[in-house]
Amino acid sequence: GSGKFSEQVSLAGKVAAVTGANSGIGLESAKELNLRGAKVFMLCRSEQRANDARKKLIEAGCEGSHLLFSECDLSKFASVRACAERMKEAESHLDILINNAGIMFYPQFELTEDGHEMTWQSNHLGPFLLTELLLPLLKKAKDGRIICVSSALHRKVSDPLDLSKVEDKSEYGRMAPYLRSKLANVMYARDLARRLQEEGATHVTANSLHPGVVATDLHNHLPINNSVMMFFSRLIMKSEKEGAQTSLYLAMSSEVKGVSGGFFDDCARVKEHRAARDDEACKKLYEYSKEAVGL
């Protein structure tokens, strides 16, 4: 892939939902989908931040009436459930779901109000619950697309995902929980693709991707907050626009219509971690996650 998505696609009449649409790659994804005619639900924690982002998008030429805020805090199952309910009341179908929001390098071990480790819930269990609850709407689309933003760093998990350790305080470090959650994103997309296929719902696809190392808010918790460091990192990192290209490619390119269960980087399918190619492990993660979120 060229790493640049340039195909002319109209999304008129399509409905999309993007988590974390108020900043970074999420904002860029919401903008592009809207500019091509889609109605975009901005699923964000803070209404204030979403509204500020909405103003920016309208200034950039977006259609304001097609940018809708819906509160969704992935670290709270109640918030995710309420958001999914509102979506079902508002829309008859959903064409595109981009699970984009995530946290990285969370500074300490902390449990959510649901009793799960913060990074694991924000990056995996929350998006898992949201996606499962929105499946009925996605199945009503002609060409439903589920996109899970992961990271090539998921390959750094040294062993298969050990579900008995994902929320173990003694296994906590700045990096480990993030890596495990990103591996889970790839495994979940793969298992979801398999289940959709088995149900005969092949008009709905699920894929995961690596956006590139982008200079975004994800790095807020980095210990080095030195402006010189940030200046150099911005030179080697992709811009947010570049970082959103693979998400947009998976959301609308005709090249990936019907393609499901893959992991993509720079608008091309690449190999995922061997642990994510183990269908049994992916199935296990699904069963575990379903129980964890109370489905």
Side-chain angles (χ1 to χ4, degrees), residues 247-266:
S247 293
L248 293 165
Y249 171 74
L250 289 172
M252 52 185 160
S253 175
S254 57
E255 286 176 20
V256 284
K257 190 176 158 68
V259 174
S260 199
F263 176 67
F264 289 74
D265 187 357
D266 261 346

Side-chain angles (χ1 to χ4, degrees), residues 174-236:
R174 264 186 188 273
M175 208 54 190
Y178 176 75
L179 299 181
R180 288 193 289 257
S181 69
K182 294 291 110 182
L183 173 56
N185 295 157
V186 180
M187 292 172 73
Y188 171 51
R190 183 182 172 101
D191 186 72
L192 180 51
R194 177 190 61 80
R195 282 184 291 128
L196 289 164
Q197 226 121 24
E198 282 174 10
E199 284 170 33
T202 49
H203 64 295
V204 182
T205 58
N207 292 290
S208 58
L209 68 109
H210 171 63
V213 182
V214 186
T216 68
D217 295 357
L218 266 186
H219 301 285
N220 279 354
H221 296 296
L222 267 180
I224 314 153
N225 223 347
N226 172 328
S227 56
V228 179
M229 167 76 187
M230 279 315 284
F231 172 74
F232 284 111
S233 69
R234 280 188 187 273
L235 295 179
I236 53 170

Side-chain angles (χ1 to χ4, degrees), residues 12-291:
K14 296 218 175 198
V15 181
V18 181
T19 63
N22 56 287
S23 67
I25 301 172
L27 181 70
E28 196 57 47
S29 301
K31 174 179 151 189
E32 287 299 321
L33 295 171
N34 177 285
L35 288 173
R36 290 163 189 260
K39 181 198 281 190
V40 181
F41 283 85
M42 304 173 71
L43 309 188
C44 313
R45 274 185 310 203
S46 149
E47 182 160 17
Q48 178 59 56
R49 286 178 59 186
N51 284 336
D52 293 346
R54 202 170 158 272
K55 281 194 196 95
K56 258 191 237 167
L57 291 177
I58 292 167
E59 280 164 24
C62 284
E63 171 51 62
S65 66
H66 279 174
L67 286 172
L68 304 158
F69 163 74
S70 190
E71 188 183 321
C72 185
D73 184 340
L74 294 165
S75 71
K76 298 181 167 94
F77 292 152
S79 171
V80 173
R81 287 178 184 278
C83 174
E85 275 315 302
R86 286 193 304 273
M87 293 280 308
K88 285 177 185 167
E89 278 161 31
E91 298 298 326
S92 60
H93 73 287
L94 176 62
D95 301 278
I96 297 162
L97 170 62
I98 303 184
N99 287 311
N100 163 83
I103 58 174
M104 191 178 192
F105 309 128
Y106 199 71
Q108 73 275 341
F109 181 87
E110 190 181 307
L111 295 179
T112 64
E113 64 181 29
D114 303 297
H116 294 284
E117 190 275 312
M118 181 61 79
T119 301
W120 181 243
Q121 179 163 335
S122 303
N123 291 5
H124 169 61
L125 293 176
F128 170 89
L129 178 60
L130 180 67
T131 307
E132 293 292 318
L133 294 175
L134 292 178
L135 277 180
L137 279 186
L138 285 149
K139 286 176 183 171
K140 287 189 185 136
K142 280 190 188 68
D143 173 17
R145 300 192 183 192
I146 299 159
I147 293 115
C148 302
V149 178
S150 174
S151 165
L153 289 172
H154 82 273
R155 298 196 187 97
K156 295 216 183 306
V157 175
S158 52
D159 46 44
L161 192 63
D162 183 344
L163 294 171
S164 67
K165 289 183 177 170
V166 288
E167 305 191 276
D168 182 341
K169 192 172 180 174
S170 68
E171 295 288 327
Y172 193 81
R174 264 186 188 273
M175 208 54 190
Y178 176 75
L179 299 181
R180 288 193 289 257
S181 69
K182 294 291 110 182
L183 173 56
N185 295 157
V186 180
M187 292 172 73
Y188 171 51
R190 183 182 172 101
D191 186 72
L192 180 51
R194 177 190 61 80
R195 282 184 291 128
L196 289 164
Q197 226 121 24
E198 282 174 10
E199 284 170 33
T202 49
H203 64 295
V204 182
T205 58
N207 292 290
S208 58
L209 68 109
H210 171 63
V213 182
V214 186
T216 68
D217 295 357
L218 266 186
H219 301 285
N220 279 354
H221 296 296
L222 267 180
I224 314 153
N225 223 347
N226 172 328
S227 56
V228 179
M229 167 76 187
M230 279 315 284
F231 172 74
F232 284 111
S233 69
R234 280 188 187 273
L235 295 179
I236 53 170
M237 288 179 180
K238 295 185 173 191
S239 68
E240 285 159 10
K241 190 177 177 66
E242 289 168 330
Q245 295 304 309
T246 306
S247 293
L248 293 165
Y249 171 74
L250 289 172
M252 52 185 160
S253 175
S254 57
E255 286 176 20
V256 284
K257 190 176 158 68
V259 174
S260 199
F263 176 67
F264 289 74
D265 187 357
D266 261 346
C267 300
R269 192 168 181 166
V270 294
K271 235 185 182 163
E272 56 279 72
H273 189 311
R274 62 179 181 280
R277 296 196 293 272
D278 176 348
D279 288 338
E280 252 336 281
C282 295
K283 232 180 247 185
K284 245 186 225 144
L285 173 67
Y286 166 69
E287 293 302 336
Y288 155 90
S289 306
K290 209 169 126 176
E291 201 173 310

